[in-house]
Amino acid sequence: MFIQRAPLRVLALLVISLGARVSAQNLTDDQISLVKARLAQGATHSWELGTRAQALVELDTPTFSVYNASVPPPRTAPSSLNETLAIAQSIVANRSASNHNATGPQPLIQDGAAADPASNIFEVVLANWTGLSDHDYAGAAKDQVDFLFDKVPKTSDGAISHRADQLQLWSDFVYMVPPTLAYYGVITGNQSMVQFAYNQVKLYRNYLIDTHANNLWKHVLMGSFNDTGHWSTGNGWAAAGMLRVAATIQNSPFSSALKNQHKDLLNWAHEIHGGMYRHLDTNTSLFHNYADNPSTFLDASSTAILAASVYRLANMGGPRTHIPQAELSRKALSSTNSSGAFVHFDAQGWLTPVVNPDSYGSEGSKSPEGQAFVLQMHAAWQDWVALGEKGAFTCASL
Ligand SMILES: *[C@@H]1O[C@H](CO)[C@@H](O)[C@H](O)[C@H]1NC(C)=O
Ligand SMILES: *[C@@H]1O[C@H](CO)[C@@H](O)[C@H](O)[C@H]1NC(C)=O
Ligand SMILES: *[C@@H]1O[C@H](CO)[C@@H](O)[C@H](O)[C@H]1NC(C)=O
Ligand SMILES: *[C@@H]1O[C@H](CO)[C@@H](O)[C@H](O)[C@H]1NC(C)=O
Ligand SMILES: *[C@@H]1O[C@H](CO)[C@@H](O)[C@H](O)[C@H]1NC(C)=O
Ligand SMILES: *[C@@H]1O[C@H](CO)[C@@H](O)[C@H](O)[C@H]1NC(C)=O
Ligand SMILES: *[C@@H]1O[C@H](CO)[C@@H](O)[C@H](O)[C@H]1NC(C)=O
Ligand SMILES: *[C@@H]1O[C@H](CO)[C@@H](O)[C@H](O)[C@H]1NC(C)=O
Ligand SMILES: *[C@@H]1O[C@H](CO)[C@@H](O)[C@H](O)[C@H]1NC(C)=O
Ligand SMILES: *[C@@H]1O[C@H](CO)[C@@H](O)[C@H](O)[C@H]1NC(C)=O
């Protein structure tokens, strides 16, 4: 028994190192540029613009990312922030056209969703903070916040609807609204706004958590239809949104006043990981579109945002339990075949396979949000490497 064990172990190591030589483990700078270019080309919907703005900051300007630097950030914008500020500029320049010259509370972009346009509060607030003065950025951000407070339906206990025309809760909300409200709160020196953002996460968790499914979140409740399945991307939006709120608190002047809220947010993100990672497909290291329904297609998009959130949680001092699985997913998404072509990207740089961002039950071919998630995974992984790769699976455990 003991005698046979050693050669087997050597063999296993040989197989692993041979595998590593054939297949890449990390996305190259060229591939990241390609992914970014497709994101720039594809992002048109309100939530895609907000997610793109966030992904670009995390990747290119860590000194302005809530994960990496103090909030508020410096007042002077480095040129790496240009693309992000350009998103704010085009949204605010077009705001009157989009809202038919409305005045007062209004979304940044006219949209059926109440929450999605609010994802852009982040870069609009940044434009104001760094002194861009060709438009009234502060006024546009305030109108969007007032719109959420005054014009959007709410549950009796105060959860803001994801939709504008009816009361309906979507897990996606947790990425679109609480992180940007928390950011707005810190920039305007309003602790109660940051607390409000935390409360929204707490309310959404109460409604959407499925304690009969290891705490996975349901996707859509209330209103004219629902989706009680455990949509993987929705669980990813929720975990990543919680961590942005937590990081905003952690790096703000309110960190000690809100330390219990910060702790809850890390626990709740970890709770989602606990529900999700037991369902990671072992052959591919990808999630199915509905995590606990293996008859649904495999989805690289949710796989990327969840891996990003696992690295972020670890980088913020939270549990590292799921780092080995995030590493498996990241390596799978970075792999190449024997002719050197990326397995999970087409030649143009589009991630595959992905859920259709406009039809959450169907497989699509081009997902701008999926492109952003890859950049976020890469940025979070780079930070994790810089912090010493804590929690990695090592050869010692073979
Ligand atoms: C991937 O990046 C990590 C961290 O920089 C490095 O340790 C590893 O050797 C790289 N792997 C490959 C196959 O280049
Ligand atoms: C933030 O990013 C800078 C530049 O990349 C790096 O030097 C610093 O260590 C990072 N800080 C944290 C807290 O991650
Ligand atoms: C960013 O914008 C500033 C000010 O408009 C400009 O001076 C700078 O050249 C731009 N940088 C890049 C990389 O486009
Ligand atoms: C500006 O808003 C109008 C009206 O909603 C819309 O048709 C157009 O596509 C928008 N343009 C940009 C650049 O966002
Ligand atoms: C908005 O105002 C502009 C300038 O006053 C005007 O040309 C345009 O027709 C107005 N648009 C709408 C939809 O009212
Ligand atoms: C806009 O920036 C100023 C600082 O120049 C800050 O005092 C104010 O709170 C900001 N407003 C918003 C809505 O972000
Ligand atoms: C601070 O945030 C609260 C929401 O929590 C809001 O009601 C209040 O108006 C804000 N205060 C200021 C000065 O904007
Ligand atoms: C979901 O919608 C169906 C059909 O409208 C309804 O019967 C059911 O009660 C709803 N479920 C939940 C959890 O809201
Ligand atoms: C995973 O691999 C096993 C063994 O090769 C195979 O039987 C199974 O069908 C695969 N599952 C999927 C989802 O590809
Ligand atoms: C690798 O992938 C590329 C792109 O899908 C394909 O054209 C090529 O045939 C593949 N090579 C092998 C050896 O499978």
Side-chain angles (χ1 to χ4, degrees):
M1 192 66 189
F2 185 73
I3 300 165
Q4 281 178 353
R5 200 184 147 95
L8 271 178
R9 192 192 276 200
V10 170
L11 191 65
L13 282 170
L14 252 175
V15 168
I16 286 169
S17 58
L18 280 175
R21 209 178 301 152
V22 179
S23 183
Q25 290 189 313
N26 302 331
L27 293 172
T28 57
D29 290 349
D30 284 352
Q31 186 64 12
I32 288 295
S33 298
L34 210 53
V35 171
K36 222 165 125 176
R38 295 295 80 78
L39 170 59
Q41 187 185 6
T44 53
H45 295 109
S46 59
W47 79 89
E48 293 165 347
L49 297 171
T51 305
R52 176 173 176 238
Q54 175 65 27
L56 290 177
V57 169
E58 289 176 24
L59 186 72
D60 294 334
T61 317
T63 48
F64 279 71
S65 157
V66 294
Y67 290 116
N68 182 265
S70 65
V71 190
R75 298 297 296 263
T76 307
S79 65
S80 59
L81 214 53
N82 283 18
E83 282 180 286
T84 297
L85 295 177
I87 298 171
Q89 207 162 28
S90 94
I91 289 173
V92 175
N94 202 44
R95 193 173 70 119
S96 292
S98 183
N99 288 321
H100 305 288
N101 295 343
T103 55
Q106 59 187 288
L108 284 163
I109 303 171
Q110 196 52 240
D111 198 323
D116 294 347
S119 64
N120 295 286
I121 291 171
F122 170 67
E123 71 270 17
V124 171
V125 161
L126 262 188
N128 165 67
W129 184 254
T130 56
L132 210 61
S133 57
D134 56 338
H135 296 287
D136 178 13
Y137 293 99
K142 181 174 189 305
D143 285 348
Q144 168 68 81
V145 171
D146 290 348
F147 181 78
L148 287 173
F149 275 82
D150 302 343
K151 305 284 180 195
V152 178
K154 291 169 193 67
T155 60
S156 58
D157 54 1
I160 299 175
S161 174
H162 185 77
R163 308 274 316 165
D165 61 342
Q166 57 173 310
L167 178 58
Q168 192 171 61
L169 308 185
W170 293 51
S171 50
D172 315 40
F173 175 95
V174 176
Y175 194 83
M176 306 306 155
V177 173
T180 57
L181 278 187
Y183 198 74
Y184 184 93
V186 174
I187 295 279
T188 58
N190 186 345
Q191 184 180 323
S192 126
M193 184 76 76
V194 184
Q195 173 69 39
F196 184 90
Y198 161 85
N199 287 345
Q200 289 298 310
V201 178
K202 183 173 183 158
L203 289 165
Y204 263 75
R205 175 175 171 275
N206 287 343
Y207 282 106
L208 295 180
I209 195 169
D210 191 344
T211 53
H212 302 296
N214 297 305
N215 302 321
L216 288 172
W217 282 33
K218 296 171 195 167
H219 184 205
V220 181
L221 283 186
M222 305 178 189
S224 53
F225 65 91
N226 56 48
D227 177 14
T228 56
H230 309 118
W231 189 45
S232 294
T233 302
N235 279 274
W237 285 128
M242 289 167 178
L243 293 175
R244 274 178 71 190
V245 176
T248 304
I249 290 173
Q250 185 169 318
N251 292 319
S252 80
F254 307 131
S255 60
S256 59
L258 299 177
K259 68 172 189 302
N260 291 331
Q261 289 81 344
H262 175 266
K263 196 170 123 204
D264 284 345
L265 291 162
L266 296 195
N267 285 338
W268 297 338
H270 184 56
E271 175 181 81
I272 288 177
H273 295 158
M276 287 297 294
Y277 277 95
R278 66 183 66 229
H279 300 296
L280 189 70
D281 177 66
T282 48
N283 290 11
T284 59
S285 301
L286 266 61
F287 288 111
H288 291 275
N289 188 44
Y290 285 81
D292 52 355
N293 184 350
S295 74
T296 61
F297 55 87
L298 291 165
D299 173 47
S301 177
S302 54
T303 302
I305 187 65
L306 279 151
S309 71
V310 167
Y311 295 119
R312 288 300 177 200
L313 180 63
N315 295 349
M316 289 165 71
R320 301 169 192 143
T321 321
H322 300 102
I323 284 283
Q325 285 165 300
E327 276 285 272
L328 288 175
S329 292
R330 185 189 64 77
K331 287 176 183 172
L333 297 184
S334 309
S335 65
T336 50
N337 69 14
S338 55
S339 12
F342 283 97
V343 173
H344 283 290
F345 295 89
D346 71 12
Q348 282 73 47
W350 290 103
L351 183 67
T352 182
V354 288
V355 56
N356 179 343
D358 294 327
S359 176
Y360 51 75
S362 329
E363 189 169 345
S365 57
K366 295 177 169 64
S367 168
E369 71 201 34
Q371 301 299 105
F373 296 160
V374 170
L375 302 184
Q376 291 179 304
M377 178 182 75
H378 190 69
W381 168 72
Q382 282 183 321
D383 285 358
W384 174 76
V385 170
L387 290 167
E389 307 192 17
K390 295 195 182 77
F393 181 82
T394 61
C395 285
S397 53
L398 270 179

